C-alpha cells in the first residue's frame, strides 16, 4: 500500500535506511503521524475532527510491519489523538509481522502554550495567504526564527532541548537492539532537524510518516534524512 501513496516516499526511504543501522547500538526515529482528515481552520483547532483516515491507518500498520524484526520497538506519541492512533497502528503492524513492540509513554513536552491564541495567530496568517496549507512550513520558519510570541508557542530552541533530553534520557538504559519511535508532528520534526543538525526547514514540509532516523555513536550523530546518511557533531548543549 505504501508504494501507491503520493506522500509515502520519505516514509519508505526511512524504512529502507533501517538496514544501514549499526546493530550494536540502539536507534531513534522521530516521525510525523499518518494521514489525517483534511482540515479547515475550524477543524484544525478541534483535535477530534483531525483524526487518521482509513488509508492513513492502513499505511501506519504497514509501516510498522516493515520495521526491522530484529529490534524491539518502543513507541512514544504526543497527547494528540492522531498521533496516538498512528502509534497504535504501528504497534499492530509490528506485532502482526512477528516483531516485539510496546508503548513506552506519552511525550510530556508541548509546543503550543495557548491553543486559542494559536488559532488567532494562524487565522491572521491565513488572511494574508502566507500559511502553507499542508506541511506547516511558514509557521515553522516563524517559530524557529523566534517570531512567534512565547505566550503562543514554547520557544523552539527550548523545545528542541527538552526533546533532546527526553530522547537521550530514554536511550541511556536502552539495549542495543531497541528502536525508539516517536510519533509527533511535522513542525516538531522540522524544529528538531533545525536545532539538532542546523538544517533549515524543508519547504515541502515533512510528509506523513516521514522524519528522521538517528544513532548516537562515538564519532557523532549518525542521521538518515529522506535518502541521505550524514554524520553530525552533537550540539554544544547536547545532553551528556
Amino acid at each position: 500500500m505504501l508504494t501507491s501513496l503520493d506522500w509515502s516516499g520519505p516514509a519508505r526511504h526511512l524504512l529502507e535506511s533501517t538496514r544501514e543501522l549499526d546493530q550494536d547500538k540502539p536507534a531513534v526515529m522521530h516521525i510525523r503521524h499518518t494521514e489525517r482528515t483534511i482540515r479547515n481552520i475550524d477543524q484544525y483547532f478541534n483535535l477530534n475532527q483531525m483524526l487518521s483516515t482509513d488509508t492513513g491507518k492502513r499505511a501506519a500498520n504497514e509501516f510498522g510491519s516493515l520495521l526491522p524484526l530484529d529490534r524491539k520497538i518502543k513507541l512514544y506519541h504526543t497527547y494528540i489523538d492522531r498521533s496516538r492512533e498512528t502509534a497504535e497502528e504501528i504497534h499492530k503492524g509490528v506485532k502482526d509481522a512477528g516483531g516485539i513492540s510496546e508503548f513506552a509513554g506519552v511525550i510530556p513536552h508541548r509546543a503550543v502554550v495557548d491553543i486559542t491564541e494559536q488559532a488567532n495567530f494562524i487565522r491572521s496568517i491565513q488572511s494574508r495567504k502566507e500559511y502553507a496549507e499542508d506541511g506547516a512550513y511558514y509557521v515553522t520558519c516563524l517559530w524557529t526564527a523566534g517570531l512567534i510570541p512565547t505566550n503562543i508557542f514554547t520557544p523552539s530552541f527550548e523545545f528542541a532541548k527538552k526533546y533532546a533530553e527526553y530522547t537521550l534520557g530514554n536511550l541511556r538504559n536502552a539495549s542495543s537492539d531497541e528502536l525508539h519511535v516517536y510519533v509527533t508532528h511535522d513542525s516538531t520534526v522540522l524544529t528538531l532537524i533545525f536545532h539538532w543538525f542546523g538544517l533549515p526547514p524543508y519547504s515541502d514540509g515533512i510528509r506523513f510518516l516521514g522524519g528522521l532516523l538517528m544513532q548516537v555513536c562515538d564519532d557523532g550523530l549518525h542521521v538518515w534524512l529522506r535518502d541521505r546518511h550524514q554524520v553530525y557533531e552533537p550540539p554544544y548543549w547536547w545532553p551528556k
Side-chain angles (χ1 to χ4, degrees):
M1 175 187 209
L2 277 174
T3 56
S4 66
L5 298 171
D6 60 5
W7 49 259
S8 67
R12 288 185 279 114
H13 284 309
L14 206 59
L15 289 166
E16 291 166 5
S17 296
T18 61
R19 301 172 187 170
E20 302 176 27
L21 292 171
D22 183 336
Q23 295 302 309
D24 295 326
K25 293 184 180 297
V28 172
M29 272 188 185
H30 283 274
I31 63 171
R32 186 186 181 188
H33 57 77
T34 196
E35 183 183 76
R36 45 103 177 102
T37 53
I38 297 173
R39 71 185 180 219
N40 59 41
I41 193 63
D42 295 318
Q43 287 177 319
Y44 185 85
F45 300 105
N46 184 336
L47 300 181
N48 290 328
Q49 291 185 26
M50 290 188 65
L51 301 178
S52 308
T53 64
D54 289 340
T55 295
K57 288 181 179 180
R58 292 196 299 273
N61 187 288
E62 183 176 339
F63 185 94
S65 73
L66 295 173
L67 288 171
L69 291 177
D70 58 350
R71 286 189 177 268
K72 300 172 185 176
I73 309 302
K74 287 193 171 183
L75 289 157
Y76 303 81
H77 60 83
T78 67
Y79 69 99
I80 295 178
D81 282 343
R82 58 186 177 276
S83 174
R84 173 186 53 78
E85 289 177 334
T86 301
E88 288 173 348
E89 291 299 329
I90 292 174
H91 174 74
K92 292 176 188 175
V94 174
K95 300 289 281 186
D96 290 346
I100 299 172
S101 175
E102 67 174 273
F103 289 98
V106 176
I107 301 167
H109 306 300
R110 301 188 182 192
V112 178
V113 175
D114 187 322
I115 197 167
T116 301
E117 288 301 316
Q118 182 200 25
N120 293 334
F121 181 78
I122 291 180
R123 283 192 181 97
S124 71
I125 292 173
Q126 281 196 322
S127 69
R128 301 193 301 272
K129 298 182 179 180
E130 294 168 341
Y131 181 63
E133 188 58 33
D134 189 26
Y137 171 67
Y138 185 65
V139 171
T140 303
C141 287
L142 293 177
W143 186 28
T144 55
L147 299 179
I148 298 180
T150 57
N151 67 313
I152 300 175
F153 271 62
T154 301
S156 65
F157 180 48
E158 176 185 327
F159 180 80
K161 287 181 70 175
K162 288 180 178 178
Y163 256 71
E165 291 166 0
Y166 187 62
T167 300
L168 270 290
N170 291 330
L171 274 181
R172 284 194 185 100
N173 297 316
S175 59
S176 61
D177 60 349
E178 288 182 18
L179 171 58
H180 297 179
V181 179
Y182 294 81
V183 183
T184 64
H185 307 273
D186 49 358
S187 56
T188 295
V189 178
L190 288 171
T191 298
L192 298 185
I193 291 171
F194 178 74
H195 286 294
W196 290 6
F197 317 126
L199 301 177
Y202 301 133
S203 60
D204 60 344
I206 296 289
R207 302 297 88 195
F208 299 119
L209 299 176
L212 68 92
L213 175 66
M214 180 179 73
Q215 285 189 303
V216 180
C217 300
D218 294 339
D219 61 341
L221 307 177
H222 284 245
V223 180
W224 290 261
L225 294 168
R226 297 188 175 181
D227 59 349
R228 293 187 59 192
H229 173 207
Q230 189 78 30
V231 181
Y232 294 95
E233 186 72 19
Y236 74 89
W237 48 263
W238 197 247
K240 303 299 183 184

